[in-house]
Amino acid sequence: MLAPELVGKCLEQLKQAVPGVSRVAVLWHPGGLGERTEKDMLKGADVAARALGVRLQVVEARGPADFDRAFSDTTRARAGALTVLSSTMLLGERRRLVDLAARNRLPAVYPQREFVDAGGLMAYGPNVADLFRRAATHVDKILKGAKPGDLPIEQPTKFELVINLTTAKALGLTIPPSLLQRADQVIE
């Protein structure tokens, strides 16, 4: 489910939703994923930011106790938007993160739709329901005698863009029609 190359796509879509943004905060959970995956995600964010002409502010949150400080640092640095990197801890704290983004008036893009279901602005990432269906195929093969080590590792193939227009309105944003047309789901 981890796809470091999606970080750039998230930033691209955030820039389309907030065209005038010049500084974007990247919230990540150090140690939440493998070191190489985290490095790839941060590098992908940096490369995409340069291509989009935005500056990044990388903000760490090792645990929920760091959230207030992270958002304080973000607003102090005048970030105009936020992207949240994938992490089990951050997903588990999605309601609080979405509330903090709203309170700080930060348009944000998240790696999973659950953040948007909790009131976040937008999410782009693998379709989890599709991943579960595909996992069931692997389970079926194992139950029929296949050795797990012989099964191929698969990457996600179905991705979804979800946009919350209620949140956009609360932030004073007008989402461009071209972005809305690409959305798999628009919450009103």
Side-chain angles (χ1 to χ4, degrees):
M1 185 165 153
L2 300 174
E5 60 277 3
L6 294 181
V7 176
K9 188 69 175 171
C10 286
L11 279 173
E12 178 185 320
Q13 292 172 350
L14 183 60
K15 177 74 173 170
Q16 290 172 12
V18 190
V21 71
S22 61
R23 185 176 198 85
V24 176
V26 178
L27 180 66
W28 74 298
H29 171 209
L33 303 171
E35 185 178 335
R36 182 175 177 180
T37 300
E38 289 177 357
K39 183 178 175 183
D40 288 347
M41 285 181 160
L42 291 171
K43 182 179 179 183
D46 186 55
V47 168
R50 281 193 227 157
L52 295 166
V54 298
R55 293 185 55 195
L56 288 185
Q57 176 198 3
V58 178
V59 181
E60 296 182 5
R62 294 189 179 276
D66 294 333
F67 292 168
D68 290 330
R69 179 209 36 84
F71 277 86
S72 177
D73 291 350
T74 297
T75 55
R76 190 173 21 262
R78 298 198 168 143
L82 170 73
T83 186
V84 175
L85 299 185
S86 192
S87 152
T88 303
M89 184 271 293
L90 296 175
L91 177 63
E93 295 289 332
R94 65 188 168 274
R95 291 196 192 288
R96 184 161 172 225
L97 291 173
V98 164
D99 288 346
L100 284 165
R103 199 172 318 138
N104 288 280
R105 305 211 33 84
L106 282 171
V109 62
Y110 303 95
Q112 291 108 356
R113 74 163 298 127
E114 289 84 357
F115 285 92
V116 177
D117 293 338
L121 175 62
M122 57 194 292
Y124 182 75
N127 180 300
V128 176
D130 184 61
L131 293 177
F132 286 144
R133 278 191 290 281
R134 292 176 58 205
T137 302
H138 275 54
V139 170
D140 181 59
K141 290 176 183 178
I142 292 167
L143 291 174
K144 291 179 178 172
K147 294 179 184 176
D150 292 341
L151 297 176
I153 294 173
E154 295 184 20
Q155 294 294 322
T157 57
K158 186 174 182 181
F159 302 91
E160 61 184 346
L161 171 62
V162 183
I163 300 172
N164 188 325
L165 287 181
T166 303
T167 301
K169 184 177 179 181
L171 292 168
L173 292 176
T174 300
I175 304 296
S178 60
L179 190 56
L180 290 173
Q181 289 171 346
R182 288 195 313 271
D184 295 283
Q185 183 178 5
V186 176
I187 298 171
E188 298 189 54

